[in-house]
Amino acid sequence: VASDWFAHGHADNPAFTGVMLHVIWNGPAKTALPTLRLQPHCDAPLNQLAAWHSTEPPFPAEYAGQCRAPLAEMSAEAQNNLLRQAALVRLQIKADIFTRHAREHGWDAALWHGLFRALGYKHNTWPMQNLAERLPAMQRSGTADAIGWQARLLGCAGLLIDNLRAQTASARRHLRQLWDHWWRERDELAAHQIPIALWRFSGLRPANHPTRRLALLAHWLARDDLPVRLQTWLEIDCPKTRLATTIAKVIHVDPDPFWKHHWTFKSSRQPKPCALLGATRATDLAINVILPWFHARASAGKNSPLLTRVENRYTHWPPAQDNSVLRLARQRLFSGPHRLTSAAQQQGLLQIVRDFCDHAPAT
């Protein structure tokens, strides 16, 4: 839709300054760019076009993986069962990581460690993990509101900007609030600061900028009840069609005035509110952090009913966003287009790639 130009941060991303035409399905233009509406020029409704577009083109046989022939002989039910087994292996592997961490630091610390890492994505996993390891030192400074926690996290991350004159008026106001907190705790936490050089900013969407993700974590830490809210969510029966919606509500936060309308400290004010966490990222956190954490706790406590509940939610979760690894794996491993109908099937395919493709010859 036209509003995605702002929602995805393209309006403030220098990589999009050369865009000459904005193509949308229908509706009013939202930018000053020339806009092409596709709907008036198409002879089929959107759902039919989407089904046609999602059909993967034939993959050259010479690039097919060696597993393609035996997989092609399997029934669809057998293929789905294979993906389910691989998904449960992946869930167990992630749960084992939480178990090891919990033995040394406790279950709540293990959850925070997982959340920090997941919100670093592939570019900033290590500095986010490094920051999570410093969380106990920050917590010793006492309770704080969301602004106070932002100051601690951004200060220890080396991301608290001190050149206020170069910022916009709204950024200066917010940064002054943060510095009002940080200068009181800076000496106490100085030994826990990490170098800014550890962070990677190139290739990031504005919504995934570490300053924004740390603002989200600050809101969770300020409330200090996230594990309890997650436990309540797990205990409530929920149809699979509403799993993603319900977890998004549980971990949703209302951002402070600055982050509500800015992607980063340097971005201009957005006309529409900017969510600190979208539905897609909520699903990523549920599949990669929250459910594996619960699985580890249930296994450690030998709680079979809870373990079954966790695995049911995991296997029935709606699919997350597609990606290049999944697309290539489907093309190389299956004899034709193979639609993944759940996030667990996606996880299963990723586990198969990890176990049998990443370290194998390309042929």
Side-chain angles (χ1 to χ4, degrees):
V1 296
S3 59
D4 282 349
W5 179 260
F6 298 98
H8 293 167
H10 300 330
D12 298 301
N13 190 336
F16 289 84
T17 55
V19 174
M20 302 178 65
L21 179 67
H22 195 200
V23 181
I24 63 175
W25 175 245
N26 207 353
K30 298 292 185 179
T31 72
L33 292 168
T35 301
L36 171 63
R37 298 172 181 82
L38 294 178
Q39 193 273 335
H41 307 285
C42 295
D43 58 359
L46 183 59
N47 59 344
Q48 292 182 18
L49 292 172
W52 169 79
H53 179 69
S54 63
T55 301
E56 296 169 346
F59 194 67
E62 59 268 26
Y63 295 113
Q66 292 183 4
C67 298
R68 186 166 181 169
L71 284 173
E73 297 175 358
M74 297 173 63
S75 66
E77 181 180 357
Q79 290 179 352
N80 289 337
N81 187 50
L82 173 66
L83 290 173
R84 184 180 185 278
Q85 292 179 39
L88 291 175
V89 168
R90 191 171 180 85
L91 175 62
Q92 184 64 60
I93 290 172
K94 292 181 179 181
D96 288 345
I97 294 173
F98 281 107
T99 300
R100 291 195 297 270
H101 194 90
R103 286 198 194 104
E104 187 172 351
H105 303 287
W107 287 110
D108 284 4
L111 173 63
W112 287 115
H113 190 271
L115 291 171
F116 270 75
R117 280 183 58 87
L119 290 172
Y121 309 109
K122 63 180 180 180
H123 294 311
N124 289 306
T125 300
W126 193 86
M128 287 292 270
Q129 173 182 320
N130 205 295
L131 202 58
E133 293 169 355
R134 288 156 167 72
L135 197 56
M138 293 183 238
Q139 291 171 324
R140 285 195 292 270
S141 296
T143 59
D145 61 9
I147 295 295
W149 268 109
Q150 283 182 55
R152 288 176 187 175
L153 292 174
L154 292 171
C156 288
L159 299 176
L160 191 54
I161 296 173
D162 56 5
N163 183 10
L164 271 61
R165 291 186 178 182
Q167 311 307 314
T168 63
S170 55
R172 282 197 300 271
R173 286 192 296 270
H174 189 66
L175 285 165
R176 284 195 184 101
Q177 285 185 289
L178 298 178
W179 275 100
D180 284 344
H181 287 267
W182 179 239
W183 73 265
R184 297 186 183 95
E185 300 179 347
R186 180 171 52 178
D187 291 343
E188 180 183 353
L189 295 173
H192 302 283
Q193 284 185 272
I194 63 177
I196 192 173
L198 296 181
W199 298 95
R200 176 178 169 183
F201 305 107
S202 61
L204 286 180
R205 290 176 54 188
N208 293 338
H209 196 281
T211 55
R212 187 168 187 81
R213 293 315 183 192
L214 291 176
L216 169 66
L217 286 159
H219 280 273
W220 287 341
L221 287 162
R223 286 194 57 170
D224 197 29
D225 64 348
L226 184 61
V228 175
R229 286 187 286 129
L230 291 175
Q231 182 69 46
T232 301
W233 166 78
L234 184 64
E235 293 171 353
I236 295 174
D237 291 331
C238 180
K240 63 181 181 181
T241 56
R242 290 186 51 78
L243 286 172
T245 303
T246 55
I247 193 61
K249 288 182 178 178
V250 171
I251 62 180
H252 170 79
V253 297
D254 291 319
D256 50 71
F258 178 78
W259 292 114
K260 189 173 185 178
H261 289 282
H262 295 82
W263 293 113
T264 67
F265 284 126
K266 296 184 178 181
S267 67
S268 59
R269 190 181 193 279
Q270 302 300 305
K272 292 187 176 180
C274 310
L276 280 176
L277 189 73
T280 299
R281 295 305 178 193
T283 282
D284 290 342
L285 291 179
I287 293 297
N288 294 304
V289 179
I290 297 170
L291 290 176
W293 179 69
F294 275 125
H295 192 278
R297 287 182 57 186
S299 296
K302 301 187 184 326
N303 189 333
S304 297
L306 182 61
L307 198 63
T308 300
R309 177 176 285 264
V310 171
E311 291 182 355
N312 283 339
R313 293 212 171 177
Y314 182 79
T315 55
H316 291 109
W317 204 282
Q321 273 190 331
D322 202 9
N323 59 52
S324 58
V325 176
L326 290 172
R327 286 192 291 270
L328 180 59
R330 289 198 304 270
Q331 289 173 324
R332 295 202 71 209
L333 297 179
F334 296 104
S335 59
H338 190 98
R339 182 168 174 263
L340 302 177
T341 59
S342 69
Q345 287 192 343
Q346 293 174 319
Q347 291 291 304
L349 185 54
L350 290 173
Q351 189 62 34
I352 290 172
V353 170
R354 178 184 180 277
D355 289 342
F356 301 104
C357 304
D358 285 349
H359 308 291
T363 55

